[in-house]
Amino acid sequence: MNWCPTVVFGYAFAACFLLGTCVLQASSTQSVDIAPDDFIGFDSVLDEVADGSLVRVRYQCSMPCLLAVEVVLSTLRKTDLVVFRRKWISSTPGVVRIQRVLLRLPPPVSHHHHCFHGSTSETQNVTLQAWLSYFKKGSNISSTLRIYKEQRVVQLSLWPRAAPAGCPSWSTQLMWLKSNNRIHQCPHESDVIDMLQFPLASTGEPFGVVRRFQPFINGALEKARLHAVTEPSVTFSVWIYLQRWCQKKLCGIIHHVDKKHLFDSVLIQLSETGDIIIQARMTTGEDEAFRAYLMLPLWKWIRLDCYILDSKVLLNVTWDAKSQKFEYVFRNSIHYDDTDGYFVIGGGRYMPGIRGYFGPFKYYRFGTDEIKNQLHPMSTVRGLDRVHAECQEMQTFTKAFLQQVAESHLLSQASEAVCPKNLLSFWAQFDNRKTTCAQTWTMETQLKYITLFHFLQGEGEMILTGHLGLKQLGSILFELTVSSVFLVEDKQLKILPQSMALLQASSCFGNHRASLLLATIYLSGLGHPANQEQGHVYSLIGASGDDRFALMHAGFKHTYGLDGFPQDLDMAYGYYSNVGEQSSIDSSRAHGYKQYTPQLIYLDNEEDLNTLTDESSDVFQYLQYQAERGDLESQRRLGTMLYWGQNGVTKDIASAVKWFERSAMQMKDPTAVYDYSILLMKGQGVKRNYTQGFRLLKKAAAMGSINALNGLGWYHGIVLKDHRNAVKYFEQAALNGSDDGMFNLGIYHLSGENPDKPWRNESAAVEQFLNASRLGHVAASLETARYLSTGSLEGVSQDVEGAVTLLQKVCKQNGHLGFLIREALQAHLQGAWEEALVKYLLAAEAGLGLAQGNVAHLCEELSLGYDCRWRYHIHSILNSDPHPSALLKIGDYYYYSSSTRGNSLSLAEQAVSMYSRAALAGSPQAMFNLAALAQEGVILPQNVLGLFNASRCDGVECVTERILKRCAEIENDEAVTPCSLALLGLQMGKAWRSVTQSRAQLLLAYASIVSLFVFVVMAPLHGWLEQRSRASALRRRRRRRTALVSQTDQADDTGRAAGSMWLTVHDEQRLRQASDLAVTLSGVCLSVLWTTLLYHLLHQTIPSTVIQ
């Protein structure tokens, strides 16, 4: 049959024709840069769209087409809500045209900020989209074969030109609000202010809550306030709970500081004898005060009501339903301006606060005849009363027990009037106890605290020595309990009642880590039923005990409003400022054993765990070997690890100083010389030697050490009292980026001790403090936060949130916190996961994101349930620098929940927010997720797009490509990564679409598909022909070797010849040639297609300037 060669040659001719056409078309498209045949886009559009806005649409159709512009809303309840659509037909093909479209929005949309109508849309964003479609030939029905869309997200204008007729009048709206009990007075315009609505723990130190008051917006109210400056009528009502009277002469309950940093009206203080002192400034400028002799009781809630009317002050003090009144009239009218400066509840910069608690605090700016200030929340304040009463009883019992045991040990055993030496075991036998063995507590008390009593029996030896006090006993109880407080049974966390009893005893004896652990257990419900009020009680007890972690815990809860704590940044600042001051002191003692620099070791990150080492590891041994050989870098690294206890190495100050000295004496590295000189001057690990230290400092400075310049300034200022040269060195250090130099220069500006500028320049000082705080300087951050919290300096606005953020960063670097997470890490490495969980929990409740992530990991590893894991994942993302893994997990939760819940838009937006924060932290996985969301059609916010140099004007593909490019850049270049594969797939798709946009290239694509099919068919055929040819040749060779051919062989040959009559030798040769030609042309066609595809791919990935 001769049809096969004909078909093959026909196909070859068609392939050649298509290939030539493709080459001509490709050359023409490369030589002339023309626009696509069809497109649509916005020529101009406003940033804000309102009813009546005008947009211009630019388009071109290659044939008659239908075009449309739509306005689509996304609300909290519904997505893709089309509220406007305008269509038109274009009959002029091949011409670029511009159509102006006037947007008409429905009234409930365009006036949603002014109308209280029930149908008003809660609009989140608005999308403008334009599309075009073609008409089928000979029909007015549009075809959806090719549709182009252009989308832009814009904002609705907040101020329409006129209210719609559907909106009621203002009076009607007001009546409607009243009838629905939804009218709210602006808090800034109320003269009644809740200065405290939640109990505040006060440690008796100069840390409290700052409150500022602004002038009234209402003209009448502001006029009345200004009139009351010289004729005041104000009222204060505050609840206080005293644990002790003032240790100093006076301590603050509330005080007012004006812009000149002077005390102003009013100042209410507590004396060392429990009396109340009230001070005020007169209109004459003088200060006057009076004393109310009260001797306020301890361990009771007391309400102080202070009425100020012109020159008269009335004080009403109430406790146990009994009241005492005091009245005093000053000689002149009181000057009172609450907008001048700020008020402080408790302690401040200029005085300490009370030791105890503040309850509800109300302030009436225009006074009142009836004070409404009930003690609340009752469950919390009553819980404080109950716990403190139990603690006093427990302390009394324990003191009596310890004293009686110690005394009985000292008395003679022959005396029958005293208990024998085996008193501890003898008291355990209640029924056989001798009457002569007297005890100072009742049997009921002993049974009530039976767990503590049994513990004391086991500590007989230490008790008999007389060296066991309550504070030490509390520490022993906590350390004993913390390692075994949690038991994991059947994937359930349990806490034994005995452990809870010992923790409560430890808290009562002054160990407030135990108070924090109790608060954590009650608030989280881990191993014990949750009790939020009881958790608040122990949180306040721990904070009032001045424990660093308990104070950070209270500050963290008030910063974000967690676990029933109201969100109050001023209260958070009060707690954090205390810890910040302690951290500043701790930093000067950071070389101590109980302090370590916090290391970011995440338990679910193998790379972090691999960085750990110890003195027996190969890494440490090799480093020590290199240091012994004189390697400078190894000596410095070894000294740093031993001095600070880094990478799991135990602190060894003496060995660290030895390596610091050996590296410094080489006189090659200025940093090494500086480090050793500072140790000499401070006498840390080596005998103090100012002379040698100063010599090394000068050497380090000459070698280029910036820190050495600051050290020279410190030496001249502190040791030599040469302030002129000290300032000179500080200025040089500050100009070169030294944060210590900036801070010290700020101190000179603040003190006015600079001989060349002998005046106080607070603004210049704050500028230096601010610059140093940006570099992480602890003391500078504290000073900057103080100015931001009060806003008392002209030119520095109040920014409590910024102040809290600064203090959080300081507190998280506390050395004691580093020591705690180091212990938790060691417990985890040793397999004591329950103990590690407890210690990480303490750090997590203090607000440390690292510990929160590790607690979530341990909850997952120990199978402790969903609540435990997600509680601390959510807490961790509240921090300013959360770990990307936590953000990804929360983002995944929101994303998958968006498909199963009704409020999908809100959840999707939260998922985008989580992924965006993780991407900003450098997470490739987050970038990949954002790219996937963009491809799904999720509209990313502009601030997210800005991270990748994209905008809403870019298409979906462009945004996705830019995100994937950024992701691929930060991934490992040597490995095939998801982002690189996704980017390749995206670019291949774009290249393929570029190929198919040209008709010639589209024909080439079709021909290539046919070529692929022909190749699949011809390749086996070609192989079969080759095999047949080899078989025939083999038979011919065999015939030549055999002279005689049997009759059977002849018959076989005859049969085979007869079977092969359908394909002659000549046809077989032509078929073989045709198949060779077809395969060759198919390969050429495919090669041309892939070359064209590669060209478009390179055109997408390489800038046009590079290609040219």
Side-chain angles (χ1 to χ4, degrees):
M1 297 181 67
N2 298 328
W3 59 268
C4 188
T6 305
V7 172
V8 171
F9 280 109
Y11 166 75
F13 176 78
C16 292
F17 174 77
L18 292 175
L19 181 60
T21 307
C22 175
V23 171
L24 291 175
Q25 181 67 25
S27 62
S28 63
T29 55
Q30 291 180 8
S31 59
V32 182
D33 186 14
I34 63 172
D37 292 339
D38 308 287
F39 67 88
I40 186 171
F42 290 107
D43 191 58
S44 67
V45 65
L46 301 176
D47 292 335
E48 294 185 350
V49 175
D51 183 41
S53 297
L54 186 68
V55 298
R56 291 159 56 92
V57 181
R58 186 183 184 93
Y59 64 92
Q60 175 179 314
C61 299
S62 59
M63 62 184 70
C65 61
L66 176 67
L67 304 101
V69 170
E70 296 176 341
V71 177
V72 182
L73 295 186
S74 296
T75 69
L76 291 176
R77 297 183 177 88
K78 188 175 181 180
T79 60
D80 298 335
L81 179 64
V82 179
V83 296
F84 172 83
R85 180 183 290 120
R86 165 75 189 283
K87 296 181 179 180
W88 71 95
I89 298 174
S90 175
S91 303
T92 308
V95 179
V96 178
R97 301 180 65 87
I98 295 178
Q99 178 75 22
R100 297 195 305 171
V101 179
L102 186 67
L103 303 182
R104 305 301 301 179
L105 304 181
V109 174
S110 59
H111 299 275
H112 68 287
H113 285 276
H114 294 271
C115 181
F116 291 88
H117 197 271
S119 62
T120 300
S121 300
E122 299 174 2
T123 306
Q124 298 296 300
N125 53 56
V126 185
T127 301
L128 287 181
Q129 65 182 27
W131 54 268
L132 68 85
S133 61
Y134 297 110
F135 289 95
K136 293 181 179 179
K137 185 175 294 185
S139 174
N140 291 330
I141 302 175
S142 63
S143 171
T144 58
L145 178 61
R146 300 177 68 184
I147 297 179
Y148 299 85
K149 288 188 178 182
E150 175 80 11
Q151 295 183 334
R152 284 193 184 182
V153 179
V154 295
Q155 296 295 323
L156 282 175
S157 176
L158 301 182
W159 301 105
R161 293 173 296 179
C167 275
S169 63
W170 170 244
S171 58
T172 305
Q173 295 175 26
L174 185 60
M175 292 300 295
W176 179 77
L177 287 172
K178 285 184 176 180
S179 64
N180 286 274
N181 295 321
R182 288 180 56 189
I183 187 167
H184 301 283
Q185 188 177 12
C186 178
H188 295 289
E189 295 301 292
S190 174
D191 67 315
V192 181
I193 298 175
D194 290 305
M195 297 181 71
L196 284 179
Q197 292 181 297
F198 190 84
L200 170 70
S202 179
T203 62
E205 297 174 293
F207 309 103
V209 175
V210 176
R211 302 292 194 194
R212 285 183 66 95
F213 303 105
Q214 303 298 327
F216 287 104
I217 299 175
N218 184 281
L221 292 177
E222 178 60 13
K223 184 177 180 180
R225 187 195 68 81
L226 293 174
H227 176 75
V229 170
T230 55
E231 298 178 7
S233 176
V234 297
T235 303
F236 294 93
S237 177
V238 58
W239 288 88
I240 60 174
Y241 187 94
L242 299 177
Q243 293 178 319
R244 69 185 183 197
W245 294 333
C246 290
Q247 299 300 298
K248 297 185 178 180
K249 188 175 182 180
L250 297 172
C251 53
I253 297 175
I254 184 170
H255 59 277
H256 180 197
V257 181
D258 64 13
K259 295 178 181 178
K260 299 179 181 179
H261 306 294
L262 300 174
F263 289 128
D264 205 341
S265 304
V266 64
L267 177 63
I268 304 178
Q269 298 170 291
L270 178 70
S271 72
E272 73 278 10
T273 58
D275 301 329
I276 296 294
I277 298 174
I278 298 179
Q279 176 180 313
R281 176 168 296 175
M282 305 295 105
T283 54
T284 59
E286 298 177 349
D287 292 331
E288 293 188 23
F290 76 94
R291 186 183 192 118
Y293 294 92
L294 288 163
M295 196 174 292
L296 293 177
L298 303 179
W299 311 106
K300 291 183 181 294
W301 283 104
I302 307 164
R303 192 171 101 171
L304 305 177
D305 298 330
C306 180
Y307 301 83
I308 300 176
L309 183 60
D310 196 7
S311 61
K312 184 171 64 176
V313 175
L314 175 64
L315 178 65
N316 190 7
V317 183
T318 305
W319 72 84
D320 289 342
K322 297 179 181 179
S323 297
Q324 296 187 44
K325 295 184 178 181
F326 299 85
E327 184 176 332
Y328 186 83
V329 180
F330 292 104
R331 292 174 296 178
N332 297 287
S333 296
I334 297 175
H335 177 275
Y336 185 85
D337 184 0
D338 58 4
T339 64
D340 181 13
Y342 57 92
F343 286 77
V344 180
I345 302 171
R349 183 181 183 185
Y350 305 105
M351 70 169 59
I354 64 172
R355 175 65 183 271
Y357 309 99
F358 287 90
F361 195 152
K362 278 190 177 290
Y363 168 41
Y364 299 83
R365 298 182 76 177
F366 290 151
T368 184
D369 295 330
E370 181 182 0
I371 295 177
K372 297 180 180 180
N373 188 22
Q374 298 298 319
L375 186 61
H376 68 275
M378 289 303 298
S379 56
T380 301
V381 297
R382 286 176 178 172
L384 282 170
D385 259 338
R386 176 181 54 79
V387 172
H388 280 301
E390 290 177 355
C391 284
Q392 291 178 43
E393 185 180 23
M394 192 181 301
Q395 289 173 4
T396 303
F397 158 71
T398 306
K399 286 179 181 178
F401 184 90
L402 297 178
Q403 182 179 2
Q404 195 161 349
V405 171
E407 289 177 353
S408 64
H409 177 66
L410 296 176
L411 293 176
S412 173
Q413 186 177 6
S415 175
E416 297 181 357
V418 297
C419 295
K421 288 185 178 181
N422 58 349
L423 178 67
L424 294 172
S425 58
F426 188 78
W427 272 336
Q429 303 170 3
F430 301 132
D431 297 334
N432 299 325
R433 186 172 59 254
K434 294 182 180 180
T435 56
T436 56
C437 181
Q439 61 187 40
T440 59
W441 58 87
T442 63
M443 182 62 61
E444 290 76 16
T445 302
Q446 183 169 308
L447 292 175
K448 184 177 181 180
Y449 304 114
I450 189 65
T451 303
L452 176 61
F453 181 75
H454 286 320
F455 171 78
L456 292 175
Q457 283 184 302
E459 298 294 325
E461 293 298 327
M462 186 174 292
I463 295 175
L464 293 177
T465 61
H467 298 298
L468 186 64
L470 290 183
K471 192 80 173 180
Q472 185 181 6
L473 180 58
S475 299
I476 294 174
L477 287 171
F478 178 73
E479 294 298 333
L480 174 68
T481 311
V482 75
S483 59
S484 58
V485 62
F486 287 148
L487 296 176
V488 180
E489 296 180 359
D490 299 328
K491 297 183 180 181
Q492 294 291 327
L493 199 65
K494 297 181 180 179
I495 301 178
L496 297 177
Q498 295 86 346
S499 298
M500 291 293 289
L502 293 179
L503 282 177
Q504 290 167 355
S506 177
S507 171
C508 288
F509 297 153
N511 188 297
H512 294 294
R513 301 285 168 85
S515 303
L516 176 57
L517 183 54
L518 287 167
T520 301
I521 293 170
Y522 283 117
L523 292 174
S524 65
L526 290 175
H528 193 278
N531 187 333
Q532 197 171 83
E533 291 75 16
Q534 195 70 3
H536 293 166
V537 167
Y538 281 105
S539 296
L540 291 167
I541 289 175
S544 67
D546 204 29
D547 180 75
R548 297 172 180 83
F549 303 158
L551 289 167
M552 290 178 65
H553 164 81
F556 180 71
K557 300 299 182 184
H558 279 298
T559 300
Y560 302 106
L562 303 173
D563 294 331
F565 289 79
Q567 187 175 19
D568 191 327
L569 292 177
D570 290 321
M571 293 182 71
Y573 171 80
Y575 290 122
Y576 275 126
S577 59
N578 189 339
V579 189
E581 191 65 37
Q582 294 187 55
S583 298
S584 180
I585 298 172
D586 293 339
S587 63
S588 63
R589 308 167 184 168
H591 59 282
Y593 172 70
K594 290 289 186 178
Q595 293 197 62
Y596 282 83
T597 303
Q599 288 187 271
L600 300 180
I601 304 295
Y602 287 88
L603 300 182
D604 58 352
N605 191 325
E606 289 296 331
E607 294 182 359
D608 290 349
L609 293 174
N610 290 336
T611 61
L612 297 174
T613 183
D614 55 44
E615 291 80 352
S616 60
S617 67
D618 294 338
V619 174
F620 186 86
Q621 294 295 330
Y622 177 75
L623 196 64
Q624 193 171 25
Y625 169 74
Q626 289 292 99
E628 293 286 359
R629 295 183 57 193
D631 182 70
L632 178 62
E633 184 59 32
S634 298
Q635 290 173 346
R636 284 192 61 249
R637 178 63 182 149
L638 195 61
T640 303
M641 290 174 62
L642 291 169
Y643 188 83
W644 298 106
Q646 294 178 348
N647 299 96
V649 176
T650 304
K651 279 188 176 183
D652 187 346
I653 303 300
S655 298
V657 170
K658 180 189 71 173
W659 292 115
F660 280 137
E661 180 182 10
R662 291 184 61 174
S663 62
M665 290 302 102
Q666 295 189 41
M667 297 296 177
K668 296 179 180 179
D669 185 3
T671 303
V673 177
Y674 166 76
D675 290 341
Y676 185 59
S677 67
I678 292 299
L679 293 178
L680 287 171
M681 287 194 168
K682 292 185 175 181
Q684 293 179 353
V686 66
K687 185 178 180 180
R688 191 189 300 269
N689 189 332
Y690 280 127
T691 304
Q692 186 182 5
F694 180 57
R695 180 178 60 81
L696 291 176
L697 265 181
K698 290 194 295 183
K699 179 66 175 178
M703 295 171 67
S705 172
I706 306 303
N707 290 328
L709 292 174
N710 177 75
L712 289 173
W714 174 85
Y715 182 78
H716 280 84
I718 301 299
V719 180
L720 302 180
K721 305 300 181 183
D722 182 3
H723 297 298
R724 179 173 278 104
N725 280 319
V727 171
K728 180 187 70 174
Y729 283 117
F730 287 145
E731 288 177 343
Q732 292 179 18
L735 288 174
N736 285 279
S738 169
D739 55 345
D740 284 322
M742 296 173 189
F743 173 74
N744 291 327
L745 196 58
I747 292 296
Y748 268 98
H749 285 305
L750 203 60
S751 63
E753 293 183 355
N754 184 356
D756 296 331
K757 298 178 181 179
W759 58 82
R760 195 170 186 267
N761 190 340
E762 204 168 7
S763 298
V766 171
E767 182 180 359
Q768 296 294 336
F769 293 152
L770 183 60
N771 292 334
S773 67
R774 289 169 178 162
L775 299 175
H777 196 278
V778 173
S781 298
L782 294 179
E783 291 295 328
T784 304
R786 181 171 60 82
Y787 283 100
L788 291 177
S789 68
T790 61
S792 58
L793 181 63
E794 185 176 356
V796 179
S797 302
Q798 187 182 27
D799 183 7
V800 185
E801 184 177 1
V804 169
T805 302
L806 277 176
L807 291 178
Q808 281 181 327
K809 293 179 179 179
V810 169
C811 296
K812 290 175 184 178
Q813 296 300 316
N814 186 276
H816 292 278
L817 188 62
F819 179 75
L820 178 64
I821 62 175
R822 175 187 170 87
E823 284 191 318
L825 178 61
Q826 294 298 325
H828 177 267
L829 295 176
Q830 294 168 9
W833 284 18
E834 290 81 2
E835 182 181 352
L837 176 63
V838 174
K839 294 182 177 179
Y840 274 127
L841 268 174
L842 293 174
E845 287 294 323
L848 185 65
L850 163 73
Q852 291 162 348
N854 287 343
V855 168
H857 172 75
L858 287 173
C859 289
E860 186 173 1
E861 291 296 318
L862 294 171
S863 302
L864 299 183
Y866 175 89
D867 293 338
C868 171
R869 183 169 73 254
W870 287 106
R871 168 186 171 86
Y872 289 100
H873 273 318
I874 292 174
H875 283 189
S876 69
I877 67 173
L878 297 175
N879 291 279
S880 57
D881 53 346
H883 196 266
S885 63
L887 293 169
L888 287 171
K889 290 179 181 178
I890 300 299
D892 291 343
Y893 169 77
Y894 286 137
Y895 173 73
Y896 291 114
S897 297
S898 65
S899 59
T900 58
R901 299 187 184 181
N903 194 7
S904 60
L905 178 63
S906 177
L907 291 171
E909 289 176 348
Q910 293 182 66
V912 170
S913 175
M914 295 298 107
Y915 292 147
S916 302
R917 293 176 64 187
L920 187 61
S923 170
Q925 180 64 53
M927 297 180 189
F928 182 85
N929 293 351
L930 286 175
L933 288 175
Q935 279 191 319
E936 291 179 6
V938 177
I939 300 174
L940 303 182
Q942 184 57 52
N943 59 341
V944 177
L945 296 174
L947 299 176
F948 308 99
N949 296 323
S951 67
R952 286 171 175 165
C953 300
D954 300 323
V956 173
E957 274 194 351
C958 181
V959 170
T960 305
E961 184 176 12
R962 292 187 180 184
I963 295 175
L964 290 175
K965 280 184 178 179
R966 179 71 61 82
C967 176
E969 288 174 359
I970 65 176
E971 285 181 323
N972 186 5
D973 295 336
E974 299 178 357
V976 179
T977 59
C979 284
S980 60
L981 289 176
L983 180 61
L984 178 61
L986 180 67
Q987 292 173 343
M988 289 290 290
K990 291 178 65 177
W992 177 256
R993 286 191 296 274
S994 299
V995 168
T996 56
Q997 282 182 357
S998 170
R999 294 175 182 174
Q1001 294 177 2
L1002 182 61
L1003 290 175
L1004 174 63
Y1006 291 150
S1008 300
I1009 295 174
V1010 176
S1011 299
L1012 185 62
F1013 175 75
V1014 170
F1015 184 82
V1016 171
V1017 173
M1018 288 299 180
L1021 177 61
H1022 187 272
W1024 177 75
L1025 291 174
E1026 289 292 334
Q1027 185 179 5
R1028 180 184 177 87
S1029 176
R1030 288 195 297 269
S1032 298
L1034 181 61
R1035 285 196 299 272
R1036 285 194 297 271
R1037 286 195 299 269
R1038 286 177 179 175
R1039 290 192 192 100
R1040 295 191 189 100
R1041 293 174 186 174
T1042 306
L1044 298 175
V1045 180
S1046 65
Q1047 188 176 2
T1048 305
D1049 292 338
Q1050 290 178 359
D1052 292 341
D1053 291 341
T1054 304
R1056 283 192 294 269
S1060 303
M1061 290 300 292
W1062 68 275
L1063 188 64
T1064 64
V1065 175
H1066 182 66
D1067 289 339
E1068 183 177 342
Q1069 291 178 351
R1070 287 192 298 171
L1071 183 60
R1072 185 181 298 109
Q1073 293 173 356
S1075 65
D1076 290 340
L1077 180 61
V1079 171
T1080 302
L1081 291 177
S1082 298
V1084 171
C1085 191
L1086 289 173
S1087 299
V1088 173
L1089 175 66
W1090 283 108
T1091 303
T1092 306
L1093 190 64
L1094 181 61
Y1095 167 77
H1096 287 286
L1097 180 63
L1098 293 175
H1099 189 73
Q1100 297 291 336
T1101 57
I1102 302 176
S1104 58
T1105 55
V1106 177
I1107 295 177
Q1108 295 173 359

